[in-house]
mmCIF file of all heavy atoms in Angstrom:
data_model
loop_
_atom_site.group_PDB
_atom_site.id
_atom_site.type_symbol
_atom_site.label_atom_id
_atom_site.label_comp_id
_atom_site.label_asym_id
_atom_site.label_seq_id
_atom_site.Cartn_x
_atom_site.Cartn_y
_atom_site.Cartn_z
ATOM 1 N N GLY A 43 -74.558 -28.976 17.646
ATOM 2 C CA GLY A 43 -74.250 -29.834 18.776
ATOM 3 C C GLY A 43 -72.714 -29.848 19.125
ATOM 4 O O GLY A 43 -72.423 -30.294 20.241
ATOM 5 N N GLY A 44 -71.936 -29.292 18.260
ATOM 6 C CA GLY A 44 -70.528 -29.167 18.606
ATOM 7 C C GLY A 44 -69.640 -29.954 17.615
ATOM 8 O O GLY A 44 -70.048 -30.949 17.013
ATOM 9 N N ILE A 45 -68.379 -29.468 17.595
ATOM 10 C CA ILE A 45 -67.393 -30.141 16.758
ATOM 11 C C ILE A 45 -66.107 -30.187 17.611
ATOM 12 O O ILE A 45 -65.853 -29.269 18.423
ATOM 13 C CB ILE A 45 -67.184 -29.427 15.446
ATOM 14 C CG1 ILE A 45 -66.288 -30.246 14.536
ATOM 15 C CG2 ILE A 45 -66.632 -28.026 15.575
ATOM 16 C CD1 ILE A 45 -66.331 -29.814 13.032
ATOM 17 N N ARG A 46 -65.326 -31.264 17.463
ATOM 18 C CA ARG A 46 -64.110 -31.463 18.230
ATOM 19 C C ARG A 46 -63.068 -32.154 17.489
ATOM 20 O O ARG A 46 -63.386 -32.847 16.565
ATOM 21 C CB ARG A 46 -64.493 -32.182 19.523
ATOM 22 C CG ARG A 46 -65.042 -33.612 19.256
ATOM 23 C CD ARG A 46 -65.764 -34.166 20.459
ATOM 24 N NE ARG A 46 -66.361 -35.529 20.149
ATOM 25 C CZ ARG A 46 -67.539 -35.589 19.596
ATOM 26 N NH1 ARG A 46 -68.206 -34.526 19.254
ATOM 27 N NH2 ARG A 46 -68.065 -36.766 19.351
ATOM 28 N N ARG A 47 -61.825 -31.971 17.864
ATOM 29 C CA ARG A 47 -60.725 -32.711 17.279
ATOM 30 C C ARG A 47 -60.529 -33.959 18.038
ATOM 31 O O ARG A 47 -60.426 -33.924 19.235
ATOM 32 C CB ARG A 47 -59.415 -31.870 17.381
ATOM 33 C CG ARG A 47 -59.171 -30.760 16.482
ATOM 34 C CD ARG A 47 -58.981 -31.060 15.057
ATOM 35 N NE ARG A 47 -57.585 -31.181 14.667
ATOM 36 C CZ ARG A 47 -57.251 -31.431 13.402
ATOM 37 N NH1 ARG A 47 -58.185 -31.664 12.524
ATOM 38 N NH2 ARG A 47 -56.020 -31.540 13.054
ATOM 39 N N GLU A 48 -60.489 -35.094 17.269
ATOM 40 C CA GLU A 48 -60.162 -36.373 17.802
ATOM 41 C C GLU A 48 -59.142 -37.088 16.950
ATOM 42 O O GLU A 48 -59.468 -37.369 15.816
ATOM 43 C CB GLU A 48 -61.438 -37.227 17.990
ATOM 44 C CG GLU A 48 -62.387 -36.884 18.988
ATOM 45 C CD GLU A 48 -63.473 -37.773 19.172
ATOM 46 O OE1 GLU A 48 -63.534 -38.890 18.507
ATOM 47 O OE2 GLU A 48 -64.483 -37.518 19.954
ATOM 48 N N GLY A 49 -57.946 -37.253 17.464
ATOM 49 C CA GLY A 49 -56.930 -37.983 16.700
ATOM 50 C C GLY A 49 -56.606 -37.313 15.338
ATOM 51 O O GLY A 49 -56.442 -38.020 14.353
ATOM 52 N N GLY A 50 -56.636 -35.982 15.278
ATOM 53 C CA GLY A 50 -56.393 -35.328 14.022
ATOM 54 C C GLY A 50 -57.533 -35.184 13.073
ATOM 55 O O GLY A 50 -57.454 -34.696 11.984
ATOM 56 N N ARG A 51 -58.712 -35.667 13.555
ATOM 57 C CA ARG A 51 -59.976 -35.549 12.721
ATOM 58 C C ARG A 51 -60.990 -34.677 13.419
ATOM 59 O O ARG A 51 -60.950 -34.526 14.584
ATOM 60 C CB ARG A 51 -60.564 -37.010 12.541
ATOM 61 C CG ARG A 51 -59.693 -38.008 11.921
ATOM 62 C CD ARG A 51 -60.328 -39.408 11.787
ATOM 63 N NE ARG A 51 -61.175 -39.772 12.900
ATOM 64 C CZ ARG A 51 -62.185 -40.594 12.785
ATOM 65 N NH1 ARG A 51 -62.423 -41.199 11.670
ATOM 66 N NH2 ARG A 51 -62.938 -40.897 13.883
ATOM 67 N N TRP A 52 -61.830 -34.036 12.552
ATOM 68 C CA TRP A 52 -62.899 -33.182 13.101
ATOM 69 C C TRP A 52 -64.112 -34.088 13.202
ATOM 70 O O TRP A 52 -64.652 -34.579 12.198
ATOM 71 C CB TRP A 52 -63.117 -31.965 12.198
ATOM 72 C CG TRP A 52 -62.040 -30.912 12.366
ATOM 73 C CD1 TRP A 52 -61.007 -30.726 11.481
ATOM 74 C CD2 TRP A 52 -61.883 -29.978 13.399
ATOM 75 N NE1 TRP A 52 -60.220 -29.680 12.010
ATOM 76 C CE2 TRP A 52 -60.724 -29.226 13.164
ATOM 77 C CE3 TRP A 52 -62.659 -29.743 14.564
ATOM 78 C CZ2 TRP A 52 -60.344 -28.215 13.998
ATOM 79 C CZ3 TRP A 52 -62.212 -28.711 15.401
ATOM 80 C CH2 TRP A 52 -61.060 -27.970 15.021
ATOM 81 N N ILE A 53 -64.669 -34.200 14.386
ATOM 82 C CA ILE A 53 -65.829 -35.026 14.610
ATOM 83 C C ILE A 53 -66.962 -34.113 15.166
ATOM 84 O O ILE A 53 -66.686 -33.267 16.008
ATOM 85 C CB ILE A 53 -65.493 -36.124 15.698
ATOM 86 C CG1 ILE A 53 -64.278 -36.986 15.254
ATOM 87 C CG2 ILE A 53 -66.758 -36.984 16.011
ATOM 88 C CD1 ILE A 53 -64.559 -37.714 13.966
ATOM 89 N N ALA A 54 -68.119 -34.282 14.596
ATOM 90 C CA ALA A 54 -69.246 -33.455 14.964
ATOM 91 C C ALA A 54 -70.499 -34.233 15.340
ATOM 92 O O ALA A 54 -70.705 -35.349 14.816
ATOM 93 C CB ALA A 54 -69.613 -32.481 13.832
ATOM 94 N N ASP A 55 -71.245 -33.673 16.215
ATOM 95 C CA ASP A 55 -72.550 -34.211 16.559
ATOM 96 C C ASP A 55 -73.574 -33.607 15.706
ATOM 97 O O ASP A 55 -73.733 -32.329 15.698
ATOM 98 C CB ASP A 55 -72.870 -34.007 18.058
ATOM 99 C CG ASP A 55 -71.833 -34.600 18.985
ATOM 100 O OD1 ASP A 55 -71.536 -35.818 18.764
ATOM 101 O OD2 ASP A 55 -71.356 -33.895 19.837
ATOM 102 N N SER A 56 -74.306 -34.369 14.905
ATOM 103 C CA SER A 56 -75.325 -33.846 14.002
ATOM 104 C C SER A 56 -76.638 -34.549 14.248
ATOM 105 O O SER A 56 -76.697 -35.510 14.921
ATOM 106 C CB SER A 56 -74.813 -34.085 12.519
ATOM 107 O OG SER A 56 -75.101 -35.406 12.121
ATOM 108 N N PRO A 57 -77.698 -33.990 13.543
ATOM 109 C CA PRO A 57 -78.988 -34.650 13.689
ATOM 110 C C PRO A 57 -78.977 -36.080 13.157
ATOM 111 O O PRO A 57 -79.817 -36.900 13.577
ATOM 112 C CB PRO A 57 -79.873 -33.771 12.851
ATOM 113 C CG PRO A 57 -79.245 -32.437 12.806
ATOM 114 C CD PRO A 57 -77.793 -32.706 12.832
ATOM 115 N N MET A 58 -78.005 -36.482 12.317
ATOM 116 C CA MET A 58 -77.880 -37.786 11.797
ATOM 117 C C MET A 58 -77.013 -38.741 12.673
ATOM 118 O O MET A 58 -76.876 -39.843 12.368
ATOM 119 C CB MET A 58 -77.310 -37.728 10.326
ATOM 120 C CG MET A 58 -78.090 -36.967 9.384
ATOM 121 S SD MET A 58 -77.329 -36.681 7.818
ATOM 122 C CE MET A 58 -76.183 -35.397 8.222
ATOM 123 N N GLY A 59 -76.452 -38.124 13.697
ATOM 124 C CA GLY A 59 -75.519 -38.868 14.545
ATOM 125 C C GLY A 59 -74.128 -38.242 14.457
ATOM 126 O O GLY A 59 -73.934 -37.135 13.953
ATOM 127 N N VAL A 60 -73.138 -39.006 14.882
ATOM 128 C CA VAL A 60 -71.835 -38.522 14.898
ATOM 129 C C VAL A 60 -71.202 -38.636 13.394
ATOM 130 O O VAL A 60 -71.322 -39.682 12.814
ATOM 131 C CB VAL A 60 -70.957 -39.370 15.878
ATOM 132 C CG1 VAL A 60 -69.502 -38.945 15.809
ATOM 133 C CG2 VAL A 60 -71.419 -39.176 17.273
ATOM 134 N N VAL A 61 -70.648 -37.534 12.967
ATOM 135 C CA VAL A 61 -70.142 -37.491 11.594
ATOM 136 C C VAL A 61 -68.688 -36.944 11.667
ATOM 137 O O VAL A 61 -68.353 -36.254 12.588
ATOM 138 C CB VAL A 61 -70.978 -36.517 10.669
ATOM 139 C CG1 VAL A 61 -72.399 -37.073 10.571
ATOM 140 C CG2 VAL A 61 -70.965 -35.077 11.169
ATOM 141 N N GLU A 62 -67.926 -37.273 10.643
ATOM 142 C CA GLU A 62 -66.574 -36.738 10.459
ATOM 143 C C GLU A 62 -66.695 -35.647 9.417
ATOM 144 O O GLU A 62 -67.335 -35.869 8.385
ATOM 145 C CB GLU A 62 -65.561 -37.756 10.084
ATOM 146 C CG GLU A 62 -64.193 -37.244 9.895
ATOM 147 C CD GLU A 62 -63.147 -38.242 9.410
ATOM 148 O OE1 GLU A 62 -63.519 -39.432 9.252
ATOM 149 O OE2 GLU A 62 -62.022 -37.819 9.124
ATOM 150 N N VAL A 63 -65.977 -34.541 9.652
ATOM 151 C CA VAL A 63 -65.966 -33.438 8.662
ATOM 152 C C VAL A 63 -64.558 -33.294 8.168
ATOM 153 O O VAL A 63 -63.635 -33.081 9.026
ATOM 154 C CB VAL A 63 -66.529 -32.113 9.169
ATOM 155 C CG1 VAL A 63 -66.594 -31.091 8.105
ATOM 156 C CG2 VAL A 63 -67.883 -32.333 9.863
ATOM 157 N N ARG A 64 -64.279 -33.464 6.911
ATOM 158 C CA ARG A 64 -62.931 -33.382 6.265
ATOM 159 C C ARG A 64 -62.842 -32.130 5.478
ATOM 160 O O ARG A 64 -63.617 -32.030 4.400
ATOM 161 C CB ARG A 64 -62.609 -34.569 5.408
ATOM 162 C CG ARG A 64 -62.717 -35.877 6.238
ATOM 163 C CD ARG A 64 -62.451 -37.042 5.214
ATOM 164 N NE ARG A 64 -62.689 -38.338 5.760
ATOM 165 C CZ ARG A 64 -62.946 -39.385 5.098
ATOM 166 N NH1 ARG A 64 -62.968 -39.312 3.791
ATOM 167 N NH2 ARG A 64 -63.208 -40.553 5.720
ATOM 168 N N PHE A 65 -61.953 -31.258 5.734
ATOM 169 C CA PHE A 65 -61.766 -29.980 4.916
ATOM 170 C C PHE A 65 -60.638 -30.010 4.036
ATOM 171 O O PHE A 65 -59.588 -30.663 4.322
ATOM 172 C CB PHE A 65 -61.611 -28.814 5.997
ATOM 173 C CG PHE A 65 -62.765 -28.707 6.966
ATOM 174 C CD1 PHE A 65 -62.726 -29.409 8.181
ATOM 175 C CD2 PHE A 65 -63.840 -27.898 6.648
ATOM 176 C CE1 PHE A 65 -63.812 -29.271 9.023
ATOM 177 C CE2 PHE A 65 -64.950 -27.843 7.498
ATOM 178 C CZ PHE A 65 -64.901 -28.499 8.746
ATOM 179 N N VAL A 66 -60.763 -29.292 2.971
ATOM 180 C CA VAL A 66 -59.561 -29.140 2.052
ATOM 181 C C VAL A 66 -58.668 -28.261 2.894
ATOM 182 O O VAL A 66 -58.996 -27.494 3.729
ATOM 183 C CB VAL A 66 -59.883 -28.422 0.733
ATOM 184 C CG1 VAL A 66 -60.907 -29.315 -0.110
ATOM 185 C CG2 VAL A 66 -60.478 -27.052 0.896
ATOM 186 N N PRO A 67 -57.326 -28.350 2.560
ATOM 187 C CA PRO A 67 -56.352 -27.439 3.192
ATOM 188 C C PRO A 67 -56.577 -26.011 2.984
ATOM 189 O O PRO A 67 -57.173 -25.621 1.975
ATOM 190 C CB PRO A 67 -54.986 -27.908 2.575
ATOM 191 C CG PRO A 67 -55.237 -29.195 2.033
ATOM 192 C CD PRO A 67 -56.690 -29.239 1.592
ATOM 193 N N HIS A 68 -56.196 -25.193 3.950
ATOM 194 C CA HIS A 68 -56.275 -23.709 3.861
ATOM 195 C C HIS A 68 -55.579 -23.402 2.499
ATOM 196 O O HIS A 68 -54.579 -23.951 2.148
ATOM 197 C CB HIS A 68 -55.582 -23.096 5.047
ATOM 198 C CG HIS A 68 -55.945 -21.684 5.263
ATOM 199 N ND1 HIS A 68 -55.338 -20.640 4.643
ATOM 200 C CD2 HIS A 68 -56.952 -21.088 5.969
ATOM 201 C CE1 HIS A 68 -55.854 -19.511 4.983
ATOM 202 N NE2 HIS A 68 -56.827 -19.729 5.808
ATOM 203 N N ASN A 69 -56.199 -22.413 1.801
ATOM 204 C CA ASN A 69 -55.657 -22.123 0.469
ATOM 205 C C ASN A 69 -55.883 -20.673 0.071
ATOM 206 O O ASN A 69 -56.721 -20.010 0.700
ATOM 207 C CB ASN A 69 -56.295 -23.082 -0.608
ATOM 208 C CG ASN A 69 -57.829 -22.950 -0.641
ATOM 209 O OD1 ASN A 69 -58.350 -22.020 -1.286
ATOM 210 N ND2 ASN A 69 -58.537 -23.851 0.011
ATOM 211 N N ASP A 70 -55.155 -20.228 -0.956
ATOM 212 C CA ASP A 70 -55.281 -18.860 -1.389
ATOM 213 C C ASP A 70 -56.507 -18.608 -2.322
ATOM 214 O O ASP A 70 -56.756 -17.404 -2.691
ATOM 215 C CB ASP A 70 -54.009 -18.420 -2.252
ATOM 216 C CG ASP A 70 -52.803 -18.438 -1.319
ATOM 217 O OD1 ASP A 70 -52.880 -18.227 -0.108
ATOM 218 O OD2 ASP A 70 -51.646 -18.625 -1.829
ATOM 219 N N TYR A 71 -57.192 -19.665 -2.699
ATOM 220 C CA TYR A 71 -58.288 -19.556 -3.569
ATOM 221 C C TYR A 71 -59.699 -19.390 -2.890
ATOM 222 O O TYR A 71 -60.698 -19.292 -3.469
ATOM 223 C CB TYR A 71 -58.347 -20.673 -4.592
ATOM 224 C CG TYR A 71 -57.051 -20.798 -5.316
ATOM 225 C CD1 TYR A 71 -56.108 -21.737 -4.995
ATOM 226 C CD2 TYR A 71 -56.743 -19.933 -6.372
ATOM 227 C CE1 TYR A 71 -54.887 -21.913 -5.638
ATOM 228 C CE2 TYR A 71 -55.512 -19.986 -6.993
ATOM 229 C CZ TYR A 71 -54.610 -20.983 -6.686
ATOM 230 O OH TYR A 71 -53.438 -21.066 -7.357
#
Side-chain angles (χ1 to χ4, degrees):
I45 190 165
R46 61 198 174 277
R47 282 291 265 180
E48 285 185 8
R51 301 179 325 154
W52 286 101
I53 304 298
D55 300 312
S56 81
M58 297 171 283
V60 176
V61 299
E62 179 183 359
V63 186
R64 301 178 190 157
F65 300 90
V66 297
H68 198 271
N69 60 83
D70 294 334
Y71 303 103

